[in-house]
Amino acid sequence: MESGYVTTPFGRRPMSLGMLASQQLAETIEPGMKRGKWKLFRAICEARPALGVTDRALTVLDALLTFYPDDEISEEKGLIVFPSNAQLSLRARGMTPATLRRHLAVLVEAGLILRKDSPNGKRYARRDRAGTVGDAFGFSVAPLLARAVEIENLAAQEVADRELLRAIRERLTICRRDISKLIATALEEGVSGDWEGISGMFRTLLARIPRVATAEELAPLLDEMGLLRAEIVNLLERRIKTQKIDANESQIEHHKQNSNPDSNYELEPSFETKQGERVVADLEPNAGPPDEQRLKQPKPSGGMRNKAGAAADPGAGHTLKSFPLGLVLQACPGILDYGPGGTIGNWRDLMSAAVVVRSMLGVSPSAYEEACSGMGPENAATVIACILERGGHINSPGGYLRDLTRRTERGEFAIGPMLMALVRANGPTARHAS
């Protein structure tokens, strides 16, 4: 430090032990020490959380450094800058004098600059006849040079921590995506397992993710999700091995039956009707909705007639009009992640995604089946998508869905206002089906 003695602040500003410590530190600058001022400033910006300064205080420090006459800070070229408040305010983007004083105090408190006040509190420099600055009063940047190595190390640590956090977030995102899609695959393929319990564990882990998290908070969650993903993969691999064994046994049995040309045995017909009814009752995604199964049944010639002789209306039980799929996806972009392949291209995809989401939200199969019967399968899937979008505001998704089903049957519920509210909430950021 240039003065070589303790300097106290002008006026009513008090002296503190922190200021004294900063002055003593500033006197420990190694001979020949130099640093590029803007490179050092970028390091301070990186280390800002560790240094305890605000972004507005850094704006003031940036303005102060513009008054330093050279690109490199060194003792040979002086360490005092002495701008007037008016000039400093202009270079600090027009900051008001009161705000300027407050953030200068923050920089002093953080030990990044020192005050060297004149007898009257003004900032100026005395020059000799050759124009060389003899003594100057203003702000000393000596602490920046004295703490250069410390600041650079803090900046490097902040960058490393940020990169670690980014890597953990990426791995956590991939793990979340894997678990969602693997659960969807298991449900679509009818793989045996406690998928309700696994979905509940997944929801619990998701709820534990903080909105603003550190690497230390996310690392344990990533480990737990990794274990859950491994368990799901094991269940699916077991199913694959079972299918291979069954396929091999079927081929061997088929060969034995056909090896006798006089054999009258025929392959046993498939159990399509009963299996289809069971799948619809369980609302698995690889089965069509109840109405779709009913419409697929053969119609008698001449059309189906009711007792009065009028043509039967297959959709007469539906009291709600279904909305365009594009509008539903614009209002509820979150459902896209649960569609086959991460996309939804038609109503069948949306209904498959709704079954997966239904399970994740804890909605019972019976509640969803009642909704399909009361609203129609398309509208039931739409309501599930809306519940997913507003999940944080609904305590009991299953009870909410049952209530909407009852209100629909009484003619007291319409999906349109719900969709329009979500469209407005999502705005232009909503994703669309590919």
Side-chain angles (χ1 to χ4, degrees):
M1 187 173 170
E2 291 184 336
S3 63
Y5 60 87
V6 173
T7 176
T8 57
F10 170 79
R12 295 183 179 179
R13 288 192 296 268
M15 183 65 179
S16 69
L17 291 178
M19 292 181 186
L20 183 59
S22 296
Q23 291 182 27
Q24 291 175 345
L25 177 64
E27 294 177 353
T28 63
I29 299 174
E30 297 180 4
M33 184 78 162
K34 294 181 180 181
R35 281 295 188 276
K37 65 180 181 181
W38 299 124
K39 185 177 180 180
L40 187 57
F41 177 73
R42 284 193 294 271
I44 294 170
C45 292
E46 292 283 4
R48 182 175 67 83
L51 293 172
V53 293
T54 63
D55 53 349
R56 298 295 299 279
L58 290 183
T59 300
V60 176
L61 180 59
D62 180 27
L64 277 175
L65 289 177
T66 62
F67 291 97
Y68 193 80
D70 201 83
D71 286 338
E72 277 192 336
I73 302 175
S74 66
E75 284 190 290
E76 291 78 11
K77 296 169 184 174
L79 296 173
I80 303 293
V81 291
F82 39 90
S84 66
N85 281 341
Q87 290 298 317
L88 187 57
S89 175
L90 285 176
R91 296 197 190 183
R93 281 74 170 168
M95 193 175 289
T96 62
T99 306
L100 196 63
R101 286 192 295 272
R102 186 166 67 251
H103 292 300
L104 284 169
V106 170
L107 293 174
V108 172
E109 185 70 23
L112 295 179
I113 61 173
L114 287 174
R115 292 181 182 275
K116 186 184 176 184
D117 288 343
S118 65
N120 61 3
K122 302 295 183 180
R123 300 178 203 130
Y124 58 87
R126 290 198 181 96
R127 302 177 186 270
D128 58 20
R129 294 186 178 183
T132 304
V133 175
D135 201 2
F137 299 95
F139 297 102
S140 171
V141 295
L144 296 183
L145 203 55
R147 299 180 63 187
V149 175
E150 175 198 352
I151 290 170
E152 289 163 354
N153 289 337
L154 288 173
Q157 185 61 48
E158 285 292 329
V159 171
D161 291 345
R162 187 169 62 244
E163 287 300 312
L164 176 61
L165 179 60
R166 181 190 59 79
I168 291 178
R169 283 188 177 278
E170 287 180 352
R171 292 169 59 194
L172 188 62
T173 298
I174 292 172
C175 197
R176 290 172 60 181
R177 182 185 67 198
D178 290 347
I179 292 173
S180 296
K181 292 183 182 294
L182 289 173
I183 291 176
T185 300
L187 294 174
E188 289 173 3
E189 298 292 337
V191 178
S192 60
D194 183 17
W195 298 111
E196 291 284 349
I198 290 174
S199 297
M201 292 172 60
F202 184 41
R203 290 196 303 273
T204 301
L205 288 174
L206 292 178
R208 287 170 52 194
I209 299 176
R211 186 175 296 274
V212 180
T214 63
E216 290 75 15
E217 292 171 328
L218 291 182
L221 289 173
L222 178 60
D223 292 339
E224 293 182 50
M225 281 202 181
L227 292 173
L228 182 61
R229 177 174 58 183
E231 181 181 350
I232 296 171
V233 170
N234 286 337
L235 291 172
L236 295 179
E237 287 179 345
R238 218 174 297 161
R239 172 61 178 268
I240 292 172
K241 292 177 182 178
T242 304
Q243 286 180 338
K244 287 182 179 179
I245 294 172
D246 292 343
N248 291 337
E249 291 177 351
S250 176
Q251 290 176 358
I252 294 171
E253 184 66 25
H254 181 73
H255 176 71
K256 288 181 179 179
Q257 291 175 351
N258 290 342
S259 63
N260 184 0
D262 297 327
S263 175
N264 292 324
Y265 291 106
E266 295 180 357
L267 293 175
E268 185 177 356
S270 62
F271 204 49
E272 291 180 357
T273 303
K274 292 295 182 183
Q275 288 179 345
E277 291 174 356
R278 178 183 62 78
V279 169
V280 172
D282 292 341
L283 290 173
E284 293 291 349
N286 57 346
D291 282 5
E292 187 176 324
Q293 294 289 326
R294 176 164 55 82
L295 291 174
K296 286 181 178 178
Q297 296 176 359
K299 297 181 181 179
S301 59
M304 298 176 64
R305 299 280 173 175
N306 56 23
K307 292 182 180 180
D313 181 7
H318 298 173
T319 58
L320 293 181
K321 177 187 71 172
S322 60
F323 286 79
L325 180 61
L327 176 62
V328 175
L329 297 179
Q330 183 183 359
C332 310
I335 196 74
L336 285 166
D337 291 335
Y338 303 93
T343 60
I344 293 177
N346 50 51
W347 280 105
R348 181 60 176 262
D349 291 346
L350 179 64
M351 287 185 280
S352 296
V355 172
V356 177
V357 172
R358 184 273 303 167
S359 174
M360 292 180 59
L361 292 175
V363 177
S364 66
S366 61
Y368 186 58
E369 188 175 2
E370 290 174 8
C372 287
S373 300
M375 304 178 181
E378 294 89 351
N379 289 318
T382 299
V383 171
I384 287 291
C386 292
I387 292 175
L388 173 66
E389 204 68 27
R390 299 285 292 169
H393 304 276
I394 299 173
N395 294 328
S396 174
Y400 183 60
L401 182 63
R402 289 186 186 275
D403 179 62
L404 294 182
T405 302
R406 288 193 294 268
R407 290 168 58 191
T408 300
E409 292 169 350
R410 297 196 302 265
E412 298 174 356
F413 172 65
I415 298 179
M418 180 186 292
L419 284 176
M420 291 301 104
L422 288 173
V423 168
R424 289 192 296 270
N426 287 327
T429 61
R431 295 176 294 169
H432 300 277
S434 61

